[in-house]
Amino acid sequence: MKINRVSALQIFDSRGNPTVEAVVELSGGQHGRGLVPSGASTGRHEAHELRDGDPGRFSGRSVFQAVANIEGEIARAITGRDGIDQEGLDQILIELDGTPDKSRLGANAILGVSMAAANAAAALRGVPLHAALSNGTGTLLPWPEVQIFGGGKHAHGRIDVQDFMVVPLRAASYPEALEVVSDVFRAAADVMRDRQGLAGVADEGGYWPAFDSNEEGFSVLTKAIERAGYAPGTEVGISVDLAASDLYHDERYHLGLEGRSFASAEFAAMVIDWVGRYPIVSLEDPMAEDDWAGWQGLRAALGHRCQLVGDDHFVTNLARIEQGIRLGSANAVLIKLNQIGTVTETLRAIRRTQQAGWVPVISARSGETEDAFIAHLAVATNAGQLKVGSFCRGERMAKWNEGLRIEGELGTRARYVGAGVLAGAGVVLPVPG
Ligand code: PGA
Ligand code: ZN
């Protein structure tokens, strides 16, 4: 089925910033939409997000050029092409752009079209997106990783650590897992209210981090788990995204809230100490993106008991993932569509991660939309993990809720292994008591 029409629109993300929506229409009348998310704590090696840079419009953030690129050059290149051949289509987009980081046409322009084409193909086949992406082989519902406190660039640097998250360790199904995290999310509000620290939410919906030190985040989170009636470490674990690239400058790691700075090995020692004292089961970007030696050291120290996830470290980029596998720098890869810019390259990154015996974590961005594409991507690839921020705000709940719909639709074919996904990566967690 041929592509009949390609169009685009400047819409707004969950921070109210402009972003791209693309629509691909097939000659049979079926169409698909792709809404592009946007990060704040972006990695240096990500694909390029094209913004107009006109200070008089949205403080330089408008994406009118990306929209024009879709309706002009991209539309001309793909109209009349086979709309079902995702790989072929994405290859045309990559070659048309011609730069290694998609900076000419914009990764936001390219990804919008790539996602829209995937949705149009699913519409044509009359199946949900996850089934179209996987030919029906995706059946694993994700282990949800849910933010309770949001910090770093998502809270104007109020605290250095970016995401304080929880993961259910004993839930038997995806709906049960959501029930556990929703209990902890509400209990955390009670704990913060008691401390007179309840002050709204950060960009991804986690509570505003009114703490005097980074470590206080871990102790209050542990209290929230207990207040919700769960045992920290056996029933609910802590997952943390340090987004350490944002803490690293002048060859040192800085905790601004505490006025302290660390050499790489000292910073790693502090992280190892946290893991020893709090029920932390997953660490994302614990070291800066290009501190390969720091990553290797941490993996040697913690890789048997902790998931070590590279986000800015890998940027969903196959070449960086290959290097990580070669050097043994992590055991998990955060997957964000807009870090690389096409559906095909994202699927390849996930596949390579799984082939290496590592685990992918499908992730949203801090600037999100109502598009629930990633919930389908998680199930389609049997990735087993999904991270979309907290348990409030419509753009976050759209993904958690889509997972519930997919589970219902899969019926008895739906699977859930929760924290069991880590076993494949050789991570041994405490046995739930
Ligand atoms: P970002 O944050 O979307 O602002 O990059 C999410 C993350 O770091 O995981
Ligand atoms: Zn991250």
Side-chain angles (χ1 to χ4, degrees), residues 39-41 154 162 204 241 284 311 334 336 365-366 387:
S41 73
H154 306 156
Q162 183 183 281
E204 296 191 0
D241 182 0
E284 180 179 326
D311 171 11
L334 205 79
K336 290 167 167 169
R365 299 301 313 230
S366 53
K387 176 193 178 199

Side-chain angles (χ1 to χ4, degrees), residues 225-416:
I225 294 169
E226 285 167 346
R227 176 106 166 217
Y230 298 104
T234 52
E235 292 181 312
V236 175
I238 291 179
S239 167
V240 52
D241 182 0
L242 284 152
S245 303
D246 290 336
L247 310 177
Y248 189 75
H249 51 91
D250 304 323
E251 292 178 24
R252 285 181 77 79
Y253 290 83
H254 298 262
L255 292 183
L257 177 61
E258 303 167 22
R260 295 197 288 162
S261 82
F262 308 77
S264 176
E266 294 166 353
F267 192 71
M270 181 193 67
V271 171
I272 293 166
D273 176 57
W274 283 347
V275 171
R277 288 186 299 113
Y278 298 97
I280 296 170
V281 301
S282 180
L283 285 166
E284 180 179 326
D285 282 351
M287 308 304 291
E289 51 209 342
D290 293 321
D291 184 359
W292 292 90
W295 274 94
Q296 284 175 292
L298 213 55
R299 150 119 184 206
L302 295 176
H304 58 290
R305 57 191 281 208
C306 238
Q307 173 170 249
L308 298 171
V309 192
D311 171 11
D312 296 344
H313 182 46
F314 295 129
V315 289
T316 317
N317 182 310
L318 202 52
R320 290 186 68 89
I321 295 168
E322 290 292 358
Q323 187 167 353
I325 293 166
R326 219 167 28 244
L327 297 177
S329 68
N331 56 27
V333 179
L334 205 79
I335 300 289
K336 290 167 167 169
L337 286 149
N338 79 325
Q339 281 181 328
I340 190 68
T342 61
V343 172
T344 299
E345 289 165 289
T346 304
L347 291 171
R348 280 190 197 131
I350 295 169
R351 230 172 280 134
R352 181 68 188 107
T353 299
Q354 291 170 322
Q355 276 166 2
W358 288 16
V359 275
V361 181
I362 311 299
S363 174
R365 299 301 313 230
S366 53
E368 262 301 325
T369 72
E370 60 272 32
D371 196 327
F373 195 105
I374 56 171
H376 288 268
L377 183 65
V379 175
T381 56
N382 293 312
Q385 290 185 71
L386 182 61
K387 176 193 178 199
V388 307
S390 195
F391 210 69
C392 71
R393 296 181 57 133
E395 79 280 5
R396 311 291 148 188
M397 300 318 296
K399 281 71 160 174
W400 301 131
N401 288 341
E402 191 73 355
L404 291 169
R405 290 183 200 105
I406 295 171
E407 200 214 27
E409 174 253 319
L410 283 171
T412 53
R413 294 176 60 225
R415 296 181 298 131
Y416 178 80

Side-chain angles (χ1 to χ4, degrees), residues 60 90 124 146 148 156 159-160 164 179 255 294 360 371 397 425:
D90 286 341
L124 175 67
V146 176
I148 304 297
H156 302 289
I159 190 171
D160 302 287
F164 292 91
E179 184 169 350
L255 292 183
D371 196 327
M397 300 318 296

